[in-house]
Amino acid sequence: MRMTDEIKKAVAILHQGGIVAFPTETVYGLGADASNEAAIRRIFQAKSRPYDHPLIVHIATLNQLSDWAIEVSPQAMQLAQAFWPGPLTIILKKQRGVLDLVTGGQATIGLRMPRHPVAQQLLQAFSGGLAAPSANKFTHISPTTAAAVAEELGSQVDLILEGGMCEVGLESTIIDMSGDQPIILRPGMITVEMIAQTLQLPVASAQQEKVSQRAPGMHHLHYAPTTQTTLMGTQALIDYANSVQAKDLPMVFMVHSDLVLPMSGKLVRVNMPNRATDYAHDLYSTLRSLDHQQYQRIIIEDVPYDPEWTAIRDRLSKASGHK
Ligand code: TXA
Ligand code: MG
């Protein structure tokens, strides 16, 4: 693969301890050399992120696994082989020498091999691990375009690599493979069912297990727009629209079904895709754009209870401030 000038520039910045935003298939990441403490510190500062939230380390090849993790079980290898490169983060016991700043002082590390071509070129050219959280301010919506990264972090980043709109649109599935049984810590578009199918094992979710681990996104008001956002069942949403239509308040309804709404006055309807993968792709860019438009409230139609919608519902309930 030919190394572009932009990639060369990015690698030079990373080797000097700089921070570079880059596209992945899930969301844009804010990358730094995972072995450089000062560089990692800059990530936390740019994001205003508390230091006890661990970072995912991104790698280019399976050979790099042993640089970062130990005791990689056959099941963990099976998942890496099935889903990497792709939107899956695997939590493993960390290798000696991994910086505490990366793991939040925990004995485990999150690893991921992204499949976006720009992320792959960058990782191959850099050759080490890149610690990269989503390239947004702490608790904000993750960026799915380079423009959204600029809006979030602007001059605090040394370089933003352009890679178009992210294909998946939601953060990776996180699975903890460091203990006796696999546990999903953050749902993503790689579903529990897909993982259970691959492993031929039952797979639990953190919520069910009440794990005490610092599970990602368990933070209240993660992924939240600044506009008041509410998730409503289809009938409740219709009733609500009927009750407020005479009030002349600017409100927007994000709906994915063909329900009929009384669109009058300042009520606006935004149609979302009715396929989960398409909905996920559009979700953050839609929320980001609605958040700019001075609505009094964003009302989102609740999504189906099918497995492929689980990650979407997780982000929607966080956007609307539900626990
Ligand atoms: O799709 C993604 O995963 C994106 C792209 C850029 O790769 N990254 C991302 O990073 O979403 P971030 O930092 O926004 O979310 C990663 C989550 C954090 O909430 C953190 O708590 C969790 O991963 N995490 C990282 N290491 C962990 C560990 N050792 N144990 C438990 N959770 C961990
Ligand atoms: Mg994040």
Side-chain angles (χ1 to χ4, degrees), residues 47 49 133-134 136 142 171 186 222-223:
K47 282 182 60 85
R49 173 164 165 140
S134 51
N136 51 278
S142 296
E171 303 82 354
R186 178 173 71 185
H222 228 92
Y223 320 103

Side-chain angles (χ1 to χ4, degrees), residues 6 32 34 83-84 128 146 167 194 235 291 314:
E6 280 291 282
F83 297 109
W84 283 358
E167 175 200 338
M194 290 160 77
Q235 191 55 50
D291 207 16
D314 171 74

Side-chain angles (χ1 to χ4, degrees), residues 55-286:
L55 304 178
I56 296 170
V57 174
H58 298 67
I59 55 177
T61 68
L62 275 180
N63 297 336
Q64 284 172 277
L65 251 189
S66 56
D67 296 342
W68 302 97
I70 55 169
E71 297 173 33
V72 181
S73 66
Q75 288 77 21
M77 268 321 272
Q78 226 181 325
L79 292 181
Q81 260 146 6
F83 297 109
W84 283 358
L88 181 72
T89 296
I90 306 178
I91 307 288
L92 295 162
K93 294 210 177 91
K94 72 163 193 156
Q95 184 56 275
R96 261 184 308 137
V98 176
L99 294 171
D100 277 342
L101 208 51
V102 170
T103 64
Q106 303 190 73
T108 56
I109 182 167
L111 290 162
R112 178 161 111 78
M113 190 189 296
R115 71 162 178 245
H116 192 293
V118 174
Q120 291 206 343
Q121 284 172 44
L122 179 67
L123 286 164
Q124 270 156 25
F126 178 69
S127 83
L130 284 184
S134 51
N136 51 278
K137 291 277 185 192
F138 185 58
T139 76
H140 284 196
I141 299 167
S142 296
T144 51
T145 62
V149 176
E151 180 182 301
E152 286 285 323
L153 303 171
S155 59
Q156 286 169 287
V157 189
D158 297 318
L159 180 68
I160 301 174
L161 291 175
E162 175 61 64
M165 190 164 171
C166 299
E167 175 200 338
V168 177
L170 293 189
E171 303 82 354
S172 60
T173 305
I174 302 183
I175 184 158
D176 187 349
M177 297 299 291
S178 69
D180 297 336
Q181 60 166 150
I183 302 174
I184 302 278
L185 299 184
R186 178 173 71 185
M189 296 309 280
I190 291 177
T191 64
V192 183
E193 285 74 10
M194 290 160 77
I195 291 173
Q197 177 79 35
T198 300
L199 293 179
Q200 293 293 308
L201 277 178
V203 176
S205 291
Q207 285 90 339
Q208 290 159 239
E209 288 298 307
K210 290 204 165 65
V211 283
S212 58
Q213 262 148 320
R214 233 165 293 156
M218 298 288 159
H219 200 83
H220 194 43
L221 282 182
H222 228 92
Y223 320 103
T226 51
T227 310
Q228 189 195 351
T229 302
T230 312
L231 189 58
M232 285 187 197
T234 305
Q235 191 55 50
L237 184 144
I238 294 169
D239 295 345
Y240 181 74
N242 279 310
S243 74
V244 293
Q245 63 165 323
K247 287 196 184 144
D248 209 32
L249 296 170
M251 294 196 188
V252 61
F253 294 79
M254 260 172 71
V255 303
H256 61 83
S257 72
D258 50 11
L259 60 84
V260 178
L261 283 181
M263 286 295 116
S264 54
K266 291 183 178 157
L267 304 191
V268 172
R269 173 187 185 128
V270 169
N271 288 315
M272 293 295 288
N274 58 16
R275 257 185 38 185
T277 48
D278 298 335
Y279 192 109
H281 175 266
D282 290 1
L283 177 60
Y284 287 161
S285 62
T286 303

